[in-house]
Amino acid sequence: QVQLQESGPGLVKPSETLSLTCTVSGGSISSYYWHWIRQPPGKGLEWIGSFFHSGGTNFSPSLKSQVTMSIDTSKNEIYLKLSLVTAADTAVYYCARGASSSWFGSRRLDYWGQGILVTVSS
Amino acid sequence: IVLTQTPLSLPVTPGEPASISCRSSQSLLNGDDGNTYLDWYLQKPGQSPQLLIYTLSSRASGVPDRFSGSGSGTNFTLKISRVEAEDVGVYYCMQRIEFPTFGPGTKVEIK
């Protein structure tokens, strides 16, 4: 059974960089796209972007300038960095797996982590 | 692509049917393969979202057959034939014909 677990600091200061790790167990990360989605407290879901191990990345246009994603296949980990954060970036951050490597199938999110709350505050 | 959902809140009675509507600002039909890239997710209280329905009408693994998806073009519906207490939560539609966007969510709760 595939399991995803987000980790990282729960508090980040404004203007700093938010850094999160998604650790995947129960399967290889090499054959799938990996996504980050966030959810501000009490609000809806926002897709941040996706990453494929061979380097294919796609980012939300509204976040593109802030986002970096990377992957370490030896550790089965996916990374998210969000720079110059503000209070508006306070949210629960989820990582999720794209169900297949096809263009559209890669965006069907079949496994999700439990999420991690990141608060941006001084 | 902007998705709207109605209603935003839906009180339901166990054993009764329920229906949620999702509308898209543009067609989600891919002319090349004939698929409509609209999915439904359920976020149960305190949990992460889980995939219910994908590509308009296909049920995800383990999803009961009381859940069904339908629609075409820009108008879509999620139906629950007989609501059970475990179905409470927030239901989101999501399009993936372009970079994914989600609807605002419909909160389903027991009357």
Side-chain angles (χ1 to χ4, degrees), chain A residues 37 39 43-45 47 58-59 94 104-105 107-109 112-113, chain B residues 30 37 41 43 48-49 51 54 92 94 96-100 102:
Chain A
I37 301 98
Q39 184 172 35
K43 296 188 178 180
L45 300 164
W47 180 76
N58 295 286
F59 300 132
Y94 297 99
F104 293 111
R107 300 166 182 177
R108 171 161 49 102
L109 307 174
W112 293 63
Chain B
N30 180 30
Y37 289 106
Y41 291 84
Q43 187 172 30
S48 54
L51 180 64
Y54 63 93
Y92 294 94
M94 187 199 87
R96 53 187 166 95
I97 197 168
E98 294 186 358
F99 293 148
F102 293 87

Side-chain angles (χ1 to χ4, degrees), chain B residues 3-107:
Chain B
L3 300 178
T4 57
Q5 289 182 232
T6 54
L8 298 181
S9 178
L10 181 60
V12 296
T13 300
E16 294 295 307
S19 178
I20 300 169
S21 173
C22 175
R23 288 192 174 185
S24 173
S25 60
Q26 62 190 73
S27 176
L28 304 183
L29 173 65
N30 180 30
D32 292 334
D33 61 15
N35 288 325
T36 299
Y37 289 106
L38 187 282
D39 304 332
W40 291 93
Y41 291 84
L42 166 60
Q43 187 172 30
K44 295 184 177 182
Q47 297 186 17
S48 54
Q50 60 187 81
L51 180 64
L52 281 181
I53 302 289
Y54 63 93
T55 319
L56 183 65
S57 59
S58 296
R59 275 188 300 277
S61 176
V63 173
D65 61 6
R66 64 179 181 275
F67 290 94
S68 64
S70 64
S72 63
T74 60
N75 292 296
F76 313 101
T77 303
L78 175 71
K79 292 183 179 178
I80 310 173
S81 60
R82 294 175 305 280
V83 173
E84 297 190 5
E86 65 181 20
D87 299 337
V88 298
V90 181
Y91 289 78
Y92 294 94
C93 55
M94 187 199 87
Q95 67 77 25
R96 53 187 166 95
I97 197 168
E98 294 186 358
F99 293 148
T101 53
F102 293 87
T106 294
K107 186 173 184 179

